[in-house]
Amino acid sequence: MKRVVFIFLCFLMYADTGFSQEALIQNISSRNNLSLNGRWNYIVDPYENGFYDYRREAYDQSKSKTGGYYDDKRNVNKSELIEYDFDHSPTLKVPADWNSQEEKLSLYEGTVWYRKLFTAKPISGKRYVLYFAAANYEAHVYLNGKKLGMHKGGFTPFQFEVTNLLKAGENSVVVKVDNTRKKEEIPTNSTDWWNYGGLTRDVFLAELPETYIHDYKVQLAKGNQNLIEGYVQLNGAKKAQKVTVNIPELALKFSVATDENGYALIKTPVKKLSYWSPENPKLYEVQIASETDAVNDKIGFRTIVTSGKDILLNGKSIFLRGISMHDENPLISGRPRSEGDLRMLLTWAKELNCNFVRLAHYPHNEEMMRLADEMGLLVWAEVPVYWTIAWTNPDTYKNAQSQLGDLITRDKNRASVIIWSVGNETPLSDPRHKFMGNLVDHARSLDNTRLVAAALELHRDGNRVIVDDVLGEKLDLASFNEYAGWYWGGTPKEITKYFFDIKYQKPVVVTEFGGDALAGFHADADTRYSEEYQESLYQNQFKILGGIDGLRGMTPWILVDFRSPRRPHPIYQEFWNRKGLISETGKKKKAFFTLKDYYDSVSKTFNQTKASK
Ligand code: GCU
């Protein structure tokens, strides 16, 4: 019953906050899809002239008004006044942000209209869903001039059923994408990353049976290495069906009967599993078949729990040798555009001898999680509840909750994902504790098998660095960002006087430390922005962090330099945040090798003791 309520609430929530779309379809990329990637015509519209008339009334909110660019009008009548023309407009690549494609759009914040013409051959009895893997930030979507709906959130997928609107032959899909930053949004109007706008991830038309497998979860029960638990959810008229789950390699095949809502619990014992881990990223072919549909997935099975100050992966205590990273390919200085971009970033992490990546500060591409499953990297996944959020605005909370729900819905079958993070470095206040505490509860209500965390606040009293952020009481980890040697504490060699006082008897994962270095700039270790300063900072950070009892991981900030409008220094930054261990040209700085050596030694010395039950 809970599941059905969730789907219904999901729909209501979107409806309530102006979203009109269905709950996400699990593993939709594996379906029979017509890709809409490629070149789209576009119109830059800073005054939203294609959306509002001159009295600022929205065209698509009125039956009589015409003039919205979504009509995609062609000039057929020589005396008709039309002041736009997609056919003769320039094009942008999709998937890709607009900033990195056009110099004039590099810092542009506002609306860009996208239009794609495509030919469809809809089959009677099939259903069609128009799917966007992400659009930053607010998207209004139209098909053949009809409004499908709107979505907010720059990093989570959304979709609209178009079965009754799709035409045999040519179709026109028009999307208004607006990346304007706003105080009450998620993220808010202040971040330390580039505000890449546009259709930044895949777009495609999915074809589905009349009653199809809408969602499923197939994972090990929390802390139980011998029990597979989950559910399957059908969508369509024929709700009560027999659904078979088959894992051929385990010779495990069982069936469930979906109820009048199309829902069935999955619960079955399992033996002789090869448990997924970074050292053994074992994935099984999982075949799910109803009477009217079938979908296959590659799923790893592992358990992740905490016990005292230990993080137990498959019952063994582990140390998370991690690195933080943005969803950005530095070589094009834009959002990743292909699996190749993502694989390059994760390969750099593997070269560091990482077993863990912190995908900051927002949901990365679904493909990233699938690659982490395949390559053997544990994942910290996060929603952009970042810095000074509008904590008391109910719509802001609903937005954060829907982005968290979409992230968990999308990635709940990925063995690599072990942590849901509800935010980063958020200033202490009662409204903040309530807002984020509710997000923690929401995460646990959707998925009780993973850890829930956030980058907590800290404060200093002399040389004592204190972590007693009240939010920590609700989290599984004591995680925090600390910038000794960069933002405070003097030069790297002076930070060894600091020590940490962590009020929680929980595993400690230091989610950020680091400092800028301009690759190729060499000087003594007291000279800011030199590679030697960054190297010395890492060396001395290891000394002070080594004093933390219960240190079970770290994700230094950050794998590679990334674009930020907050970093204008004309010599050392040029709108790049240079805390990367790798430069935007792919050059590894000295600190890269310092961290690699540290992880090499940790991987040999950390005692993966079979923690006491
Ligand atoms: C913060 C924040 C990062 C930011 C970093 C920095 O801790 O979490 O998003 O980029 O510090 O200042 O470089």
Side-chain angles (χ1 to χ4, degrees), residues 192 361 386 424-425 481 483 487 512 557 567 577 579:
D192 189 22
H361 286 294
Y386 179 97
N424 177 72
E425 267 190 15
N481 305 341
Y483 278 92
Y487 290 123
E512 289 183 29
W557 191 258
R567 313 292 172 171
N577 181 315
K579 295 187 182 67

Side-chain angles (χ1 to χ4, degrees), residues 48 51-62 65:
E48 299 182 282
F51 191 74
Y52 297 105
D53 66 11
Y54 77 123
R55 294 296 187 233
R56 203 72 185 164
E57 288 183 15
Y59 290 113
D60 71 2
Q61 298 308 309
S62 115
K65 286 187 187 306

